[in-house]
Amino acid sequence: MNPRAILAEDEPLLAQGMQAALKRAWPELSIVGIAPNGLDALALIERERPDVAFLDIRMPGLTGLEVAGELAERLDPDARAPLLVFVTAYDEFALKAFELAAIDYLLKPVDPARLERCVARLQSQLATPEGDMAALALRLGRLIAAPTAAPQAVLKHIRAGSGNTVRMVPVDEVSVFRSDEKYTAVLTADAEYLIRTPLKELLLQLPAERFRQVHRSAVVNLDHVESALRDEAGRVSLKMRGRAETVAVSRVFAEQFRQM
C-alpha cells in the first residue's frame, strides 16, 4: 500500500503549496486529510492513523507539539506512532524537534531540495521497524520540558483574586497551577485562586528546579508532592500534600516520576 499522510496547517495557501510540493517530491504519498487547526489535526490522525504527520508548530487550538503530546496520551502505548515532521517558521524549535521528538523538520518557506531530503529520510524510516506511542511519549516529554524562550525574572508572589479580594500568594505555598480556556487556577493546601496569566507564561517565571509541568494543563510544585500513584494501566497521578484530589500526569511527563 502507498504511504499515507496528513497535513496540519492553518494558512490555506501554505497548505495547498505544501500539498503540491509533496506531490512533486513523493508522488506515491497519499494525503488523506488537511487540518486547519490543532484540534482538527488530532481528530484526523486518530481517525486516519496515517504513516506520516506534517504538523505546523504554531496553530490555533493546539500547537503541533501539543497535538503530538495528546496523541501519546490518547492512543494505546503499543500502537504504531506516525512519523512526525514539524513545520515551522521559527527555527528555535527546529533543532529540539529534530533531535528529541520528530523524524525531521522543515522551515518555512519550504525549500524543494530540503523537502526531498526529508522525503528520503521518511522513506528510509518507513522501511524499518515501526516505533510505538510509548517511545514517542518519552521523546516528547524531553522536548516539551525543555524551555523554548528565555526565562524571565523568578516570581516570588502570585497576585490572585478570591471573590472581591486580591491576595499576594507566596509561590512557595502553591501546590498546583491548573489552566482552562480562560483562567489559571492557583491551588494551595487550603485555598484556590484564579489568575488570567496563561500557564506557558507562568512556566517562564517559576523556579525551574521546583515547578514541573505534568500535563498540558497542570504544573506542580515538587516540594508539595506527597506520592506518585500508578494504576493498573500504568497511568500516573500525584497526591499533593493538603489536597484531596490527585493530579493526573500525562504519558509524556510520566518518566520523571518513575522512581517515586
Side-chain angles (χ1 to χ4, degrees), residues 122-145:
L122 289 166
Q123 291 172 332
S124 174
Q125 190 72 14
L126 286 173
T128 64
E130 301 160 341
D132 59 26
M133 295 307 302
L136 175 61
L138 180 59
R139 298 199 305 274
L140 285 167
R142 293 169 181 164
L143 173 61
I144 297 170

Side-chain angles (χ1 to χ4, degrees), residues 17-259:
M18 183 66 174
Q19 185 175 20
L22 279 168
K23 186 174 181 61
R24 291 189 295 270
W26 196 355
E28 300 81 14
L29 183 68
S30 175
I31 305 298
V32 296
I34 299 176
N37 58 63
L39 291 172
D40 285 353
L42 181 60
L44 187 59
I45 295 171
E46 286 187 295
R47 184 176 71 247
E48 296 292 341
R49 299 296 178 92
D51 302 293
V52 184
F54 294 87
L55 301 177
D56 190 11
I57 287 286
R58 298 285 177 90
M59 290 185 292
L62 296 173
T63 69
L65 293 178
E66 289 170 340
V67 169
E70 284 294 313
L71 281 175
E73 179 68 15
R74 294 186 185 189
L75 298 184
D76 187 281
D78 297 325
R80 179 179 59 83
L83 300 181
L84 300 181
V85 178
F86 290 135
V87 185
T88 177
Y90 306 91
D91 61 2
E92 73 268 20
F93 290 100
L95 183 59
K96 290 172 184 172
F98 175 63
E99 291 182 343
L100 296 174
I103 183 63
D104 210 343
Y105 67 90
L106 296 168
L107 295 178
K108 299 178 184 179
V110 175
D111 176 70
R114 180 69 181 83
L115 180 58
E116 288 183 4
R117 293 196 296 273
C118 174
V119 166
R121 185 185 296 272
L122 289 166
Q123 291 172 332
S124 174
Q125 190 72 14
L126 286 173
T128 64
E130 301 160 341
D132 59 26
M133 295 307 302
L136 175 61
L138 180 59
R139 298 199 305 274
L140 285 167
R142 293 169 181 164
L143 173 61
I144 297 170
T148 56
Q152 301 176 14
V154 176
L155 279 176
K156 294 185 177 180
H157 294 82
I158 301 291
R159 184 183 175 89
S162 178
N164 295 324
T165 304
V166 175
R167 279 202 58 194
M168 299 299 289
V169 182
V171 166
D172 290 347
E173 294 182 7
V174 178
S175 296
V176 183
F177 291 99
R178 179 177 285 126
S179 70
D180 59 24
E181 293 182 359
K182 294 183 178 180
Y183 299 100
T184 298
V186 180
L187 310 181
T188 67
D190 55 6
E192 180 173 337
Y193 310 93
L194 294 177
I195 60 176
R196 292 185 178 272
T197 308
L199 206 57
K200 291 179 181 179
E201 290 184 21
L202 276 175
L203 272 172
L204 297 176
Q205 304 173 67
L206 295 170
E209 71 278 4
R210 286 187 289 126
F211 285 87
R212 298 287 177 84
Q213 187 167 14
V214 298
H215 192 277
R216 184 164 58 91
S217 60
V219 169
V220 302
N221 185 342
L222 295 179
D223 289 346
H224 289 235
V225 176
E226 183 175 287
S227 60
L229 313 171
R230 190 180 299 273
D231 65 18
E232 294 180 356
R235 296 185 181 275
V236 176
S237 59
L238 302 178
K239 176 70 175 68
M240 310 301 294
R241 294 189 179 91
R243 303 289 308 183
E245 75 276 19
T246 58
V247 180
V249 179
S250 67
R251 286 177 180 152
V252 297
F253 298 108
E255 181 68 20
Q256 60 190 306
F257 298 100
R258 184 177 295 277
Q259 301 304 321

